[in-house]
Amino acid sequence: MKDLFPHTGKAWIVGVTGNPGAGKSTLTDRLVELWRKEGRRVGVVAVDPTSPFSGGAILGDRIRMQRHFEDPDVFIRSLATRGALGGLSRSAVDVVRVLDAWGADVVIVETVGVGQAELEITRSAHSTLVVVAPGLGDDIQAAKAGIMEIADVFAVNKADREGADATVRDLELMIALGRKILEPPPSTKADCHSMAAAPVRRDVAGHEADGSWTTPICRCVATHNDGVDGVGKWLEEHRRWASQSSAGMKRHGQRVRDQFETEMRDALVEAALRALRPQIDAAVADVSARKADPYSACEALVEAFRRS
Amino acid sequence: MKDLFPHTGKAWIVGVTGNPGAGKSTLTDRLVELWRKEGRRVGVVAVDPTSPFSGGAILGDRIRMQRHFEDPDVFIRSLATRGALGGLSRSAVDVVRVLDAWGADVVIVETVGVGQAELEITRSAHSTLVVVAPGLGDDIQAAKAGIMEIADVFAVNKADREGADATVRDLELMIALGRKILEPPPSTKADCHSMAAAPVRRDVAGHEADGSWTTPICRCVATHNDGVDGVGKWLEEHRRWASQSSAGMKRHGQRVRDQFETEMRDALVEAALRALRPQIDAAVADVSARKADPYSACEALVEAFRRS
């Protein structure tokens, strides 16, 4: 990986995340199709939760991408979540770098959900697409809050279903709150579905007058390949913003920092587990027998590592 | 927390998790009701995803629990997810210990989703209930794999909805796979909904002849308070298994170890960030400018910490 690093840095890394059932895989598949038509080389890293029982990635929805398997300019890699802290995000980042060095123009990192590992993986992306679908229950309100932080573009997939308008309205409100504008959101929507017909108002999505970025909301129906070009256009727009505006470059710098800190944490934990195995075993035994409290035991182990 | 630790260890810690929209909060609310009727003191730690924009916990679904707010023997605490690695699970574990020391007989830890932080939090529970609802899309198949590891009892909530039978069948199959039995699962279901009517067969759920535990599947409709007593009974059954059987005690021991390692990792990262702040800043600048690769930079930082 050290030798590979000098060959990286050219690919555009696009994170795709969202709740289960939102249709991330189908939309990813359509984006691969879109970018392949433009002649770009595409890598896909799909992060699948795994059962320790089955021991491998759940490949069910990967099968939908099978039609790209014979394309030499598409490389798809599924990663299993191993349950080990840090391990997943670390290997995903490594695979992204391998695909970058391979010469991918775009690398899509698709993750399920809004957990810590997913957050970390998406932080390594240049542009992150959050896919939501209408009518997935009210808890989604809460889950959305967690992804607000990372969404550069929202796709409301399955937009032909009942409840799509309500989902768009919810997202608009959250975005407005994020911008600290507490009056109702503007009625003009950033609707990618009709982007060709009506120019999108710059004051409700995308580049702002003050140089910041407001997350646009794109409606699409990935299974019918409807509205996917709009999603692609807004992602491009975000890429331009991130690489050219000073606010975008600042945000990119923050993400580089976040990702590096994550890598450092992983390295640190790995080294400590290697160095302290017998001491950790003894501490666990003491804490289990309630002969020590875990707070003091942790402090002692950290000190032991610094002196190791 | 060190002074508090000797007063902990008496509460039964019950994790409640599952996908967005499964109805975790409603079911938690019903379990609180059930256990209060039995005169137990109940603590609830609800972990809510947070937006860095809103800065606080999303309290929407907490409002449903309002009727318990005036009960002096119920203590409810919402925690926001701060996006910081380790921070969430650590504070949740601390709050659980505070409620334990306060004298709670049961502490329910409710989390959204199947992310890393949720996994860690539920690992600190004695018994974990995973709530699923029918018809939340096909990605759920994948998400379920991640929660198989932590489920001691499954609740199929909203069991009056279409698709409930399919959801139960899916879970049965996954459980059968987990037991390495590759033939179709037995037709007799562990159906808590009809538990009073028909005795549950011990060979399909709960205590096994070999001393292991097979996750039972309970149907319920939490909004109608239907089948919730069955969920409660199976949780009790699991508690008995975990505290009395040798396999249960072994598993509990493993969870204590996992939780301690998580606490140690958090303490380690915190100490390193404190000790290395200027060196980390320099390394980030080097990596951003591509003057260093992140792998070598991490190794150097770990060494610097050990010599600090």
Side-chain angles (χ1 to χ4, degrees):
Chain A
M1 290 307 302
K2 287 177 193 171
D3 296 338
L4 215 61
F5 189 76
H7 304 282
T8 64
K10 283 168 295 251
W12 176 33
I13 304 163
V14 176
V16 177
T17 190
N19 286 306
K24 288 173 297 296
S25 299
T26 315
L27 187 52
T28 298
D29 180 62
R30 293 299 187 185
L31 287 171
V32 171
E33 196 180 327
L34 180 77
W35 288 326
R36 282 300 300 131
K37 271 190 204 149
E38 296 169 2
R40 303 198 217 182
R41 198 171 240 209
V42 183
V44 178
V45 185
V47 180
D48 285 351
T50 268
S51 159
F53 296 123
S54 72
I58 302 286
L59 293 169
D61 58 1
R62 290 283 82 71
I63 289 162
R64 281 182 253 162
M65 288 212 202
Q66 231 167 18
R67 61 204 177 98
H68 300 299
F69 275 167
E70 293 196 3
D71 183 339
D73 287 315
V74 176
F75 195 100
I76 299 172
R77 180 77 167 88
S78 283
L79 284 180
T81 69
R82 302 248 178 254
L85 187 71
L88 173 66
S89 51
R90 190 168 182 179
S91 33
V93 166
D94 284 351
V95 174
V96 168
R97 286 192 183 131
V98 169
L99 293 175
D100 186 347
W102 163 68
D105 298 300
V106 192
V107 179
I108 302 176
V109 188
E110 185 200 327
T111 58
V112 175
V114 293
Q116 208 61 49
E118 287 74 22
L119 257 174
E120 277 163 34
I121 293 164
T122 5
R123 267 183 195 145
S124 72
H126 299 119
S127 306
T128 295
L129 174 70
V130 173
V131 188
V132 295
L136 283 182
D138 49 1
D139 277 49
I140 219 142
Q141 196 64 30
K144 270 193 315 219
I147 51 191
M148 277 298 300
E149 182 191 1
I150 54 167
D152 297 315
V153 176
F154 274 117
V156 176
N157 191 25
K158 308 184 184 182
D160 53 348
R161 288 206 187 162
E162 208 186 328
D165 288 340
T167 301
V168 170
R169 264 197 315 275
D170 282 359
L171 291 174
E172 282 175 338
L173 185 62
M174 297 197 76
I175 292 165
L177 285 168
R179 296 173 66 202
K180 315 280 180 220
I181 297 166
L182 292 167
E183 63 263 33
S187 60
T188 309
K189 288 168 198 164
D191 186 346
C192 294
H193 209 62
S194 58
M195 230 176 93
V200 172
R201 279 176 49 186
R202 285 288 182 234
D203 57 346
V204 291
H207 311 266
E208 298 293 327
D210 65 357
S212 68
W213 174 263
T214 294
T215 310
I217 303 165
C218 306
R219 292 166 192 248
C220 64
V221 185
T223 49
H224 302 158
N225 207 8
D226 200 358
V228 176
D229 50 342
V231 176
K233 271 180 204 160
W234 274 110
L235 284 169
E236 292 286 356
E237 202 63 39
H238 179 266
R239 177 194 204 174
R240 229 186 321 272
W241 173 81
S243 59
Q244 290 170 7
S245 76
S246 68
M249 286 187 284
K250 195 177 153 198
R251 176 147 149 194
H252 179 67
Q254 184 56 46
R255 290 194 175 185
V256 169
R257 159 178 290 276
D258 287 346
Q259 184 184 335
F260 180 75
E261 286 195 4
T262 301
E263 289 186 64
M264 193 207 71
R265 285 159 195 228
D266 290 345
L268 195 64
V269 165
E270 222 169 73
L273 289 180
R274 253 198 323 267
L276 298 178
R277 188 40 67 200
Q279 290 97 313
I280 293 172
D281 289 344
V284 168
D286 284 352
V287 171
S288 299
R290 307 188 69 80
K291 280 192 277 184
D293 75 85
Y295 304 93
S296 308
C298 285
E299 281 173 15
L301 284 171
V302 171
E303 276 321 298
F305 180 61
R306 294 177 80 159
R307 280 179 278 104
S308 70
Chain B
M1 290 307 302
K2 287 179 195 171
D3 296 338
L4 215 62
F5 188 76
H7 304 282
T8 65
K10 283 167 296 248
W12 176 31
I13 303 165
V14 176
V16 177
T17 191
N19 285 305
K24 289 175 295 297
S25 299
T26 315
L27 188 51
T28 299
D29 180 61
R30 293 299 186 185
L31 287 171
V32 171
E33 196 180 327
L34 181 76
W35 287 327
R36 281 301 298 132
K37 271 190 203 149
E38 296 170 2
R40 301 197 218 183
R41 199 172 239 211
V42 183
V44 178
V45 184
V47 180
D48 285 352
T50 268
S51 160
F53 296 124
S54 70
I58 302 287
L59 294 168
D61 57 2
R62 292 282 82 71
I63 288 162
R64 282 183 252 162
M65 288 212 200
Q66 230 168 17
R67 60 205 177 98
H68 299 300
F69 274 167
E70 293 196 2
D71 183 339
D73 287 316
V74 176
F75 195 99
I76 299 172
R77 179 75 168 90
S78 283
L79 283 180
T81 69
R82 303 247 176 254
L85 187 72
L88 173 67
S89 51
R90 189 169 184 180
S91 33
V93 166
D94 284 352
V95 174
V96 168
R97 287 192 183 131
V98 169
L99 293 175
D100 186 347
W102 163 67
D105 298 299
V106 191
V107 179
I108 303 176
V109 188
E110 186 200 327
T111 58
V112 175
V114 293
Q116 209 62 50
E118 286 75 22
L119 258 174
E120 278 163 32
I121 293 166
T122 4
R123 265 183 195 147
S124 72
H126 299 120
S127 306
T128 295
L129 174 69
V130 173
V131 188
V132 295
L136 284 182
D138 49 2
D139 277 50
I140 218 141
Q141 197 64 31
K144 270 192 315 219
I147 51 191
M148 277 299 298
E149 182 191 0
I150 54 166
D152 297 314
V153 176
F154 274 117
V156 175
N157 192 24
K158 308 184 184 182
D160 52 348
R161 289 205 187 163
E162 207 185 329
D165 288 340
T167 301
V168 170
R169 264 198 316 276
D170 282 359
L171 290 174
E172 282 174 339
L173 185 64
M174 297 197 76
I175 291 165
L177 285 168
R179 295 172 67 202
K180 314 279 181 221
I181 298 165
L182 292 167
E183 64 264 30
S187 61
T188 309
K189 287 167 198 165
D191 186 345
C192 294
H193 208 62
S194 58
M195 230 176 94
V200 172
R201 278 177 50 189
R202 285 290 181 233
D203 57 348
V204 289
H207 312 266
E208 298 293 327
D210 66 357
S212 67
W213 174 262
T214 293
T215 310
I217 304 165
C218 305
R219 292 166 191 248
C220 64
V221 185
T223 49
H224 301 158
N225 206 8
D226 200 359
V228 177
D229 50 341
V231 176
K233 271 179 203 160
W234 274 109
L235 284 170
E236 293 284 355
E237 203 63 40
H238 180 266
R239 178 194 204 173
R240 230 187 322 271
W241 173 81
S243 58
Q244 291 170 7
S245 76
S246 69
M249 285 187 285
K250 195 177 152 198
R251 177 148 149 194
H252 178 67
Q254 185 56 46
R255 291 196 174 183
V256 169
R257 158 179 289 277
D258 288 346
Q259 185 184 334
F260 181 75
E261 286 195 3
T262 300
E263 289 187 62
M264 193 207 71
R265 284 159 194 227
D266 290 345
L268 195 63
V269 166
E270 221 170 73
L273 289 180
R274 253 198 321 266
L276 298 178
R277 189 39 68 199
Q279 290 96 313
I280 293 172
D281 289 344
V284 168
D286 283 353
V287 171
S288 299
R290 306 187 70 80
K291 281 192 277 184
D293 76 83
Y295 304 92
S296 309
C298 285
E299 282 173 14
L301 283 171
V302 171
E303 277 321 298
F305 181 61
R306 293 177 81 160
R307 281 180 278 104
S308 68

